[in-house]
Amino acid sequence: PDTALDLLAGMKERGLEPDVITYNAAISACEKGSRTDTALDLLDEMKGRGVEPDVITYNAAISACEKGSRPDAALDLLAEMKERGLEPDVITYNAAISACEKGSRPDAALDLLAEMKERG
């Protein structure tokens, strides 16, 4: 993730505005590198800069929460994306369910599974 973060910082230093694709790549790199807090900080930063997160953004951030054993943060992100009018997909639900399973929240995992089936 350090290379992705360095590239993102370099863009900003040169006056370039990162877009959703740039942020998605950086958040995904943090997720893969198990840097949950950095991934969530990037999500906050992008929203603060007026860059609208998409489903891919939330999937990467929720996956980061899964790797960091942070089920409550994953559930908060899932709720936030719905509030923003974004439709969770199978990847979203799988990551959130896995976060709940790893975080010893089987009740929430079962609720999400039922919700996913209900939504089709």
Side-chain angles (χ1 to χ4, degrees), residues 23 28 31 37 78:
Y23 276 108
S28 182
E31 176 263 323
D37 289 334
L78 179 61

Side-chain angles (χ1 to χ4, degrees), residues 25-91:
I27 292 169
S28 182
C30 289
E31 176 263 323
K32 287 173 180 42
S34 299
R35 304 248 317 252
T36 304
D37 289 334
T38 306
L40 297 179
D41 289 345
L42 286 171
L43 177 59
D44 287 340
E45 177 185 308
M46 76 183 284
K47 291 185 290 188
R49 288 176 163 262
V51 179
E52 283 296 316
D54 60 15
V55 173
I56 295 166
T57 313
Y58 281 101
N59 287 351
I62 292 169
S63 291
C65 292
E66 179 261 330
K67 286 202 171 144
S69 296
R70 302 209 13 216
D72 292 333
L75 293 172
D76 289 345
L77 290 172
L78 179 61
E80 179 183 304
M81 76 181 287
K82 290 181 203 173
E83 288 168 12
R84 288 178 167 264
L86 297 172
E87 192 70 31
D89 60 17
V90 173
I91 295 166

